[in-house]
Amino acid sequence: MCGRFTLQASELQILKEFDLDQQLEGYQSRFNIAPGQQILSIVHNGEDRKAGFLRWGLVPSWAKDPKIGYKMINARSETAHEKPSFKNLLSRKRCLIVADSFYEWKKTDGGKQPKRISSAQRALFAFAGLWDKWEVDGEEPLFTCTILTRKADSFMEDIHDRMPVILPKDAEEEWIAPVKRHPEEVARFIEKLPTEPLKAYDVSTFVNSPKNEGESCIKPLA
């Protein structure tokens, strides 16, 4: 799964990397982004790329209770096209979720050791995400998202059996293209994506609590 990540890049770096022509109103760099929080995402509105904030934890448009979002922070890419919560979103509501690293917890004899994992080749990247809009009469619309995951590659399998789908740079435009696609076609697209070369190091259990923030989250463990 992917349950925590970071985004410390400057606003200018993000605008340049993702070819955005706008301000990122409300943007702040983060060391410990957790489910239920607002995360920077990018969609294509048919004319341009647009960045904004989505709450992490998908609430499908048909859901009766928005609390379901806390159970839907990730979607398995291998089976998403079969699931009512995700298959229509694969077809038409795909987004980029901007990050520069993520955390995973490796099981050891001494307990779970948190690791910070980042790209070995680039400072910024995007997870493949899905989004939806939930609304009921008398309440503000709720825009939420989920991060797609896949089976761990040879690097990640020593840490965890799953990993987030990180989009290659040349696949980002196709992922968010405002074109309706069959969910199975999208599933095959993800399956064929190469995995990102990664690097990792141990960090303190300080990062375990989503209430903790700051450079202590990413400081290499002595």
Side-chain angles (χ1 to χ4, degrees):
M1 64 177 294
C2 177
R4 215 74 65 76
F5 67 96
T6 72
L7 179 57
Q8 299 161 59
S10 70
E11 180 177 357
L12 181 59
Q13 287 174 309
I14 295 169
L15 295 178
K16 290 177 66 175
E17 179 67 23
F18 294 99
D19 193 25
L20 295 165
D21 184 20
Q22 64 175 101
Q23 289 186 320
L24 303 180
E25 186 175 347
Y27 172 71
Q28 292 182 322
S29 61
R30 293 287 312 280
F31 294 87
N32 194 10
I33 300 169
Q37 298 176 355
Q38 298 291 316
I39 60 180
L40 184 64
S41 308
I42 300 169
V43 300
H44 201 296
N45 65 4
E47 296 181 1
D48 300 296
R49 291 183 173 200
K50 294 295 181 184
F53 292 91
L54 302 171
R55 195 176 82 176
W56 186 11
L58 186 76
V59 180
S61 59
W62 45 262
K64 295 182 179 179
D65 189 339
K67 291 180 181 178
I68 192 175
Y70 290 99
K71 299 179 180 179
M72 301 179 72
I73 64 170
N74 291 158
R76 295 174 71 96
S77 61
E78 301 92 335
T79 58
H81 65 285
E82 302 170 351
K83 307 295 184 181
S85 299
F86 308 126
K87 64 181 182 180
N88 290 332
L89 306 184
L90 279 173
S91 175
R92 58 190 176 85
K93 289 185 176 179
R94 301 175 297 273
C95 63
L96 306 177
I97 296 172
V98 184
D100 55 24
S101 73
F102 63 98
Y103 298 104
E104 193 53 82
W105 282 256
K106 179 180 178 178
K107 292 182 179 179
T108 70
D109 292 339
K112 291 185 176 181
Q113 173 59 53
K115 290 180 174 285
R116 185 190 182 203
I117 303 154
S118 57
S119 171
Q121 297 182 333
R122 49 186 175 149
L124 274 170
F125 54 81
F127 300 128
L130 304 174
W131 69 276
D132 208 352
K133 176 184 178 182
W134 181 87
E135 57 184 337
V136 295
D137 290 342
E139 294 191 27
E140 286 290 322
L142 183 60
F143 294 88
T144 63
C145 64
T146 188
I147 295 172
L148 286 158
T149 66
R150 66 193 305 180
K151 183 179 178 181
D153 63 8
S154 58
F155 177 87
M156 278 296 299
E157 64 184 3
D158 182 58
I159 301 172
H160 197 274
D161 61 354
R162 303 290 296 176
M163 63 186 294
V165 176
I166 297 175
L167 291 161
K169 189 63 185 176
D170 60 6
E172 290 175 358
E173 188 67 23
E174 185 172 357
W175 178 252
I176 60 170
V179 177
K180 188 173 182 178
R181 295 194 171 98
H182 195 282
E184 290 185 4
E185 176 191 350
V186 182
R188 289 193 295 270
F189 171 81
I190 296 172
E191 184 180 7
K192 293 177 180 178
L193 291 176
T195 56
E196 183 86 4
L198 299 171
K199 57 184 179 180
Y201 62 84
D202 292 348
V203 294
S204 166
T205 54
F206 180 79
V207 77
N208 288 6
S209 172
K211 296 180 181 179
N212 291 337
E213 182 62 49
E215 292 189 9
S216 295
C217 293
I218 64 169
K219 184 179 179 180
L221 194 63

